Amino acid sequence: MAAAVGSLVSYGSDSDSENESETGTSPQKVDPDAVAHLQPLKSGTVTTLALLNSAPEVAVKEDVETGVHLDPALKEVSYNPIYETMFAPEFGPENPFRSQQMAAPRNMLSGYAEPAHVNDFMFEQQRRTFSTFGYALDPSVDTSQVSSNSYIGAIEEAEKNKGLTVFEAGPKKTEKRKKVKGGEASDIDTFLGPWAKYQDEKDVAKPSEDEQKELDEITAKRQKRGKNEEEAPAEEKTILHIKDAYDYQGRSYLHIPQDVGVNLRSADIPDKCYLPKKQLHVWTGHTKGVSAIRLFPVSGHLLLSCSMDCKIKLWEVYNDRRCVRTFIGHSKAVRDVCFNNTGTQFLSAAYDRYLKLWDSETGQCIARFTNRKVPYCVKFNPDEEKQNLFVAGMSDKKIVQWDIRSGEVVQEYDRHLGAVNTITFVDENRRFVSTSDDKSLRVWEWDIPVDFKYIAEPSMHSMPAVTLSPNGKWLACQSMDNQILIFGAQNRFRLNKKKIFKGHMVAGYACQVDFSPDMSYVVSGDADGKLNIWDWKTTKLYHRIKAHDKVCISALWHPHETSKVITCGWDGQIKLWD
């Protein structure tokens, strides 16, 4: 190995000497570093060669720019590229279809917009002027020296209008605009404007003969209508539909039956309630939609219904389920009915503006009450000592309290800003809650005409149906935004945000809500005629039954039955479900 290296060195020196003799040039000194790697290294007795690095030296990117393309979408560069690299054209063939307009720089969809400081009002004025008249001031021209060249768009129109803006020129007067009979108000000499009086009161225009005749007819109709309203209320009568009003023991149909398999006399409630599945019975007799249904107090063995056919009917809930009696005495649709605590009497409220007190057993009309306004709801005071008093929510925003004994108004609760829809007694009948078209809920102390609690939120809707839960702790309110809201009925009357029942469509209808006796379920009708049943704990919609062809306006869960629900609708039918 050493001999080979020596021969290589000598070969190099021999070749150099030959070259020198041929060329005649003086011998060059060999750089020892250049041949250092050819010299053997001696370390003891072993001779080794020096390591040879044959890799070429490569220029680093930072030292020499190699012309590598720089991606224009790149956000961060790890070295310092030269100017030519940064601003080099993008790679790829030139687009043959690229026009000058496309090549122009753009900072918006429609092209390039130069920044300009324009007042908002001025900009809106010019924009509207351009959309109305077709011309606008050129923003790039000095507005202090306005000429025909200062406008863009319809320059002829601008010259014609003398450059008036849309606010200065006023609205366009078209021929289609209906002309005022007798000419424009400004044509009258004595008319000085809408807020000024006439100069001469004698010159006030009078209606012509034809106009005077029309006015006379209208006033005559109004007077006639007023007289009709002041006429006596409709005549009251009653029809008994069963053969005998009394049984062999002299008991009327108000007597609570004891052979129906349920103890109706006690106030006990079922331990566990179940979902109703099938239809048991249909009560038919009303010729128009049913407005409301009420069960007989405590027992629930009778059902009272009022309808838009101006009639009130009393039905049996057990045994043959017959229509017992019909009460006729209203000239317009009956809106609401309410039993007293014993069920011997009930009140009816109708659109003929009358509230009437009826005897449940004989069908006789005991008394009539009116204040010339439409009553929307009526409630007896449930307190045993105040059964002679009742309250009614009226269309004139008032809650009016009457005394049956004297027939006079004894109190008025006048704080609502819209027609009163519901009245519900709470807190052992010491207070009552009212809802109204003004989208508020107010709580009143009995006989004190100032609400001590007022609940109204911007997000709240009108709540035209309210029901108190069997345990007296909660108020279920049917809200017009298609949900049932639950308010606490003790002390705070706070909205329970965890209990909101959704999934039905009730907007525009006062669908009555009810609870199952054991507080397991919440039931309500809806605008599609369906009966909806929710679970009280989870607020999930458990069951839905197609109950009526039209709106299902009310649903009542029988207080002594585990799964019996009564519904009524605007199809004129009342149905029993089990």
Side-chain angles (χ1 to χ4, degrees), residues 362-381:
T362 63
Q364 178 190 353
C365 180
I366 301 167
R368 306 177 199 93
F369 311 90
T370 183
N371 70 341
R372 312 305 317 145
K373 296 292 182 291
V374 177
Y376 282 171
C377 58
V378 62
K379 278 281 192 302
F380 269 105
N381 188 322

Side-chain angles (χ1 to χ4, degrees), residues 312-380:
I312 303 160
K313 289 180 181 286
L314 195 62
W315 315 81
E316 287 179 334
V317 176
Y318 293 98
N319 299 326
D320 296 333
R321 301 193 175 101
R322 302 168 293 178
C323 179
V324 178
R325 190 182 281 278
T326 300
F327 304 84
I328 304 167
H330 287 288
S331 59
K332 290 186 181 176
V334 186
R335 169 79 185 227
D336 195 18
V337 285
C338 179
F339 275 113
N340 66 357
N341 283 4
T342 56
T344 54
Q345 296 176 352
F346 69 87
L347 281 161
S348 63
Y351 284 99
D352 60 2
R353 301 164 193 257
Y354 275 93
L355 292 138
K356 296 193 176 184
L357 180 66
W358 304 82
D359 188 296
S360 305
E361 188 175 322
T362 63
Q364 178 190 353
C365 180
I366 301 167
R368 306 177 199 93
F369 311 90
T370 183
N371 70 341
R372 312 305 317 145
K373 296 292 182 291
V374 177
Y376 282 171
C377 58
V378 62
K379 278 281 192 302
F380 269 105

Side-chain angles (χ1 to χ4, degrees), residues 378-416:
V378 62
K379 278 281 192 302
F380 269 105
N381 188 322
D383 200 327
E384 289 294 341
E385 297 175 358
K386 296 172 183 170
Q387 284 288 283
N388 60 305
L389 299 171
F390 72 89
V391 283
M394 312 302 285
S395 60
D396 65 344
K397 314 170 191 174
K398 294 180 183 178
I399 299 169
V400 185
Q401 181 180 321
W402 269 279
D403 190 332
I404 289 170
R405 296 171 299 190
S406 63
E408 293 179 358
V409 175
V410 292
Q411 187 62 273
E412 277 188 355
Y413 306 84
D414 183 14
R415 302 279 284 186
H416 274 295

